[in-house]
């Protein structure tokens, strides 16, 4: 079973402006490492290789996504 830290969040692939750098860093890493190659676990392995970038993306999005959601409901 996957570690909760290595799961894509439900808002993936959403990106807010304040998280552009963290988002781009994770998306670039994941895109590069998840190219189909016949390995059925390529996606899981890409998440492992990009774990630091994924955590930065989640941290930023968790902080700013709720602010964006609240503002859009006004």
């Amino acid at each position: 079973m996957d570690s909760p830290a290595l799961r894509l969040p439900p808002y993936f692939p959403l990106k807010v402006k304040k998280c552009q750098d963290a988002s781009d860093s994770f998306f670039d890493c994941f895109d590069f490492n998840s190219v189909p190659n016949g390995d059925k676990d390529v996606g899981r392995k890409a998440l492992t290789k990009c774990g630091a970038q994924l955590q930065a993306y989640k941290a930023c999005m968790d902080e700013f996504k709720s602010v964006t959601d609240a503002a859009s409901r006004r």
Side-chain angles (χ1 to χ4, degrees), residues 23-44:
S23 299
D24 288 347
S25 178
F26 171 64
F27 294 160
D28 289 348
C29 181
F30 188 74
D31 285 346
F32 179 79
N33 287 290
S34 64
V35 175
N37 62 6
D39 181 352
K40 66 181 178 102
D41 292 324
V42 70
R44 238 179 258 118

Side-chain angles (χ1 to χ4, degrees), residues 2-19:
D2 294 335
S3 162
L6 293 179
R7 288 196 181 138
L8 293 173
Y11 46 78
F12 174 82
L14 182 67
K15 176 180 6 178
V16 296
K17 281 186 180 184
K18 291 187 180 204
C19 298

Side-chain angles (χ1 to χ4, degrees), residues 23-70:
S23 299
D24 288 347
S25 178
F26 171 64
F27 294 160
D28 289 348
C29 181
F30 188 74
D31 285 346
F32 179 79
N33 287 290
S34 64
V35 175
N37 62 6
D39 181 352
K40 66 181 178 102
D41 292 324
V42 70
R44 238 179 258 118
K45 289 176 181 177
L47 286 177
T48 299
K49 289 178 183 176
C50 303
Q53 294 91 336
L54 174 59
Q55 293 309 313
Y57 168 69
K58 284 181 175 181
C60 188
M61 289 296 292
D62 288 345
E63 180 177 351
F64 291 110
K65 183 183 172 305
S66 60
V67 172
T68 304
D69 287 348

